[in-house]
Amino acid sequence: SGLNVDVAATVRTAGVGSSDPFRLLDAIVRGGGPVDPVVTVDEQALDAAIAEVAEQADREAVEGAIDFVAGNVEATLPQQGRTVDQDASTDEVADAYLTKSAPVRLPTTYSDPLTDEAEVERALSEFAQPAMSGPVPLESELDSSRLSTVLLSTVLTMVPDEEGVLSPVLDGEALLEASADQLEALGTAPTDASVVIRGGRPVVIKSSAGLQPDTSSYVEDVLAALTETGQARVVRLPLVTQPAQFTTRDARRSGVQEVVAEFTTFYPYAEYRNVNIGRAAELANNTFLKPGDVFSMNDVVGERRRDRGFTSGFIIESGRFAEAVGGGVSQLATTLFNAGHFAGFSDVEHHAHTLYIDRYPVGREATVFWGSLDLRFGNNTPYGAVVQSFIRPATPGTQGAVTVRIWSTPYWEVESVTGNRFNPRPYERTVIAGDSCVPSTGSDGFDIIVTRTLSR
C-alpha cells in the first residue's frame, strides 16, 4: 500500500547518534521519551490500494422497480448507492498507520434512489398483482377472445416519474400488434371480389364487407380493466363495417373477357402423376390476379403433403431421380410457366430442372420445390387475369394432359424464339448406395437461349 517506517529518520528524531555533547548528555540523564515514528508514503501505491478497495465497495443506487415477465410480476427493491471519497481516504489511512488498531472507516458519500420500498409495495398491491391475476376477456357482438397474462406482460411496464412514483404504461402499438389474432376473432374479415371461370365463361364473385372491432379506445380500456375483477374486467369492443378493398364493381370492370394464352403439356401414365398433378391443378385453378399481382405456385398450391391430397412420386434432385411426396407437380409448373410466358406476363422467378426431360419445351421448363424453389410471374397489364388449370388423366394406354389458360383482355403480342443448343456437357455417372437409390439414365447438359419479344 506504499506505507512504511523510515527507521533511520526515526532514530535521528530521538537524538541518538547526535554529535552535540549537551544533547547526548541530556538524553542519557533524562531519557529521550516516546518519539513518533517517521512514516513514508508512496502516494501512487496508496492511491492504487484505495482505488482497489473503492472498486469493491462502490455501488450504484438501485431504483425500486416492477417488471412483468412471462405472466409474472418481478419486483426489485431499492438499494442505496455509495461512493468512497478516494482523496480523503488516502489521508485517513496514512494518518492511521501505526497509530490505530481499529479498522479505518473510509469517508463515503451515499445516494438514495428515487423509488423507495414503500412505493414498490404500493405499486405491487394496487396494480401489478391485480394486472397479472388472470387474463383479460375480450367480447364483441359476434364472438369472444382473451388477452393472456403472458401476452400482457410483453406490452406492460411500470415507469417511475421524477418523484419516484411508479405508474403503469401500456404500449398501445405493441398491444395492437400482439393481439391482432384475438381482435380478428371478434369480427369477420371483408372478402374481395374475384373472377372465376365457370361453364367456359368468366363469372364475377361478389365482394362482401366485414365487421371489425373498433379499437379507438382499446388500449385505454385494457389498461383500466387490469385492476378490475369479474365482469368489470371484460373489455367490450363495438364492431364497425369494413368494406372490401376490391369491390364487385372493380371485378366487373377488370377486363377478364377471353383466353389470351393457353398451353398444354403431356405426361406418361403413372397414377401418382394423375393424383399430384390433378390436385395441384385443382388448387391453382381460378386464381384471380389483379393488375400488378404476382402469381406464386407455392403460395396457391401450398405444401405438398399427404393430408392435403398429395401422394409419393418421383422428383428430380441434383440431377437424379428420387422419391418424395408431391412428385410430378413440376409438370404443372412448366405448363403454368409457358402460359404466363405467352400471356406476356413478367418472369419473376423460375428454375430449370437439373435434368432435362424431353417432354418439356426445351428452354421453357420450370420446377418447384417447397421452401426453396418457386414459380412466379406477374400480371404486368392494366387488366385482371384468371389462371384456369385442369388435367385429362392418363391411362395405361393414353398420355395425360395438363392445360393452363390465362383469361384477360388482350394486351401483349408475344413472339418467342428458341435458339439452338450449345455448350454441350456430358453427364457424370454416379453410384449411390442404399434404399433411396433410384436407377436412371443420365442426360447430357446444354445451354440454350429463348428470346421473347413483347409488343403492344
Side-chain angles (χ1 to χ4, degrees):
S1 299
L3 298 172
N4 215 328
V5 177
D6 187 337
V7 176
T10 303
V11 171
R12 285 196 299 273
T13 300
V16 178
S18 173
S19 58
D20 184 344
F22 293 103
R23 289 188 62 193
L24 181 58
L25 179 63
D26 183 67
I28 293 172
V29 173
R30 299 187 182 187
V35 175
D36 290 335
V38 177
V39 175
T40 61
V41 179
D42 180 340
E43 292 186 1
Q44 186 174 0
L46 182 55
D47 288 346
I50 296 297
E52 185 176 344
V53 173
E55 185 178 357
Q56 300 175 43
D58 289 355
R59 68 179 180 217
E60 296 285 342
V62 176
E63 287 291 341
I66 291 177
D67 295 307
F68 302 92
V69 180
N72 298 309
V73 181
E74 294 184 359
T76 301
L77 294 178
Q79 187 176 33
Q80 194 179 47
R82 69 181 174 215
T83 305
V84 173
D85 185 340
Q86 297 186 36
D87 291 337
S89 296
T90 299
D91 296 335
E92 291 280 348
V93 172
D95 292 344
Y97 182 54
L98 299 183
T99 64
K100 294 182 179 179
S101 59
V104 178
R105 185 173 184 84
L106 302 184
T108 305
T109 57
Y110 293 88
S111 56
D112 294 323
L114 286 175
T115 305
D116 59 22
E117 190 169 337
E119 174 58 18
V120 173
E121 294 294 340
R122 182 204 65 79
L124 272 174
S125 60
E126 292 183 6
F127 180 82
Q129 290 170 339
M132 293 293 107
S133 62
V136 173
L138 305 178
E139 290 183 357
S140 73
E141 295 177 8
L142 296 179
D143 213 332
S144 63
S145 184
R146 67 179 193 171
L147 304 176
S148 69
T149 55
V150 173
L151 184 151
L152 290 166
S153 65
T154 65
V155 297
L156 191 62
T157 55
M158 296 201 77
V159 179
D161 61 16
E162 294 179 354
E163 296 180 356
V165 177
L166 289 167
S167 300
V169 175
L170 188 60
D171 188 331
E173 185 176 339
L175 174 62
L176 286 168
E177 182 178 351
S179 61
D181 291 343
Q182 287 83 350
L183 292 172
E184 184 180 356
L186 301 180
T188 58
T191 303
D192 283 346
S194 183
V195 181
V196 299
I197 308 303
R198 289 179 181 169
R201 65 183 184 88
V203 176
V204 172
I205 305 299
K206 294 182 179 181
S207 62
S208 61
L211 291 173
Q212 295 294 302
D214 180 0
T215 58
S216 56
S217 63
Y218 173 56
V219 176
E220 294 81 1
D221 292 345
V222 170
L223 185 60
L226 289 174
T227 53
E228 302 290 350
T229 59
Q231 286 300 308
R233 195 175 176 85
V234 178
V235 174
R236 294 175 176 83
L237 291 94
L239 296 176
V240 294
T241 301
Q242 183 177 8
Q245 292 184 338
F246 192 77
T247 66
T248 303
R249 183 184 181 189
D250 294 330
R252 286 172 177 160
R253 300 174 63 184
S254 65
V256 178
Q257 298 176 353
E258 60 185 276
V259 176
V260 298
E262 179 175 347
F263 203 82
T264 299
T265 61
F266 302 91
Y267 60 91
Y269 173 74
E271 191 54 35
Y272 79 84
R273 290 194 180 101
N274 285 335
V275 172
N276 290 337
I277 300 172
R279 177 59 176 151
E282 178 187 13
L283 293 167
N285 188 42
N286 279 325
T287 300
F288 177 66
L289 301 176
K290 298 189 291 293
D293 280 357
V294 173
F295 174 92
S296 162
M297 181 168 170
N298 278 343
D299 284 350
V300 299
V301 174
E303 186 175 3
R304 277 66 85 184
R305 301 194 312 260
R306 295 185 188 276
D307 63 344
R308 300 190 68 246
F310 293 93
T311 189
S312 183
F314 289 110
I315 64 170
I316 299 174
E317 183 179 18
S318 301
R320 65 180 182 89
F321 286 96
E323 197 168 359
V325 174
V329 297
S330 288
Q331 183 87 33
L332 177 62
T334 291
T335 313
L336 283 164
F337 172 75
N338 278 274
H341 179 81
F342 288 105
F345 287 166
S346 57
D347 181 5
V348 178
E349 178 185 358
H350 87 276
H351 307 270
H353 292 82
T354 53
L355 174 71
Y356 176 62
I357 302 174
D358 58 11
R359 68 174 180 269
Y360 293 149
V362 60
R364 298 199 318 269
E365 55 165 315
T367 186
V368 290
F369 193 84
W370 179 257
S372 58
L373 304 178
D374 198 4
L375 166 70
R376 295 186 295 157
F377 52 74
N379 179 6
N380 54 358
T381 78
Y383 305 107
V386 175
V387 177
Q388 183 187 18
S389 56
F390 55 91
I391 73 165
R392 186 190 70 229
T395 68
T398 62
Q399 284 188 321
V402 54
T403 298
V404 173
R405 293 172 181 158
I406 306 295
W407 292 71
S408 187
T409 291
Y411 187 76
W412 294 116
E413 182 177 323
V414 179
E415 180 186 8
S416 182
V417 178
T418 301
N420 296 320
R421 304 183 191 191
F422 64 97
N423 193 20
R425 293 180 295 282
Y427 68 86
E428 297 180 0
R429 184 173 184 269
T430 303
V431 178
I432 300 173
D435 296 337
S436 63
C437 175
V438 178
S440 58
T441 301
S443 177
D444 291 342
F446 58 91
D447 291 335
I448 196 165
I449 294 174
V450 176
T451 303
R452 183 180 68 161
T453 304
L454 305 183
S455 305
R456 288 293 306 278

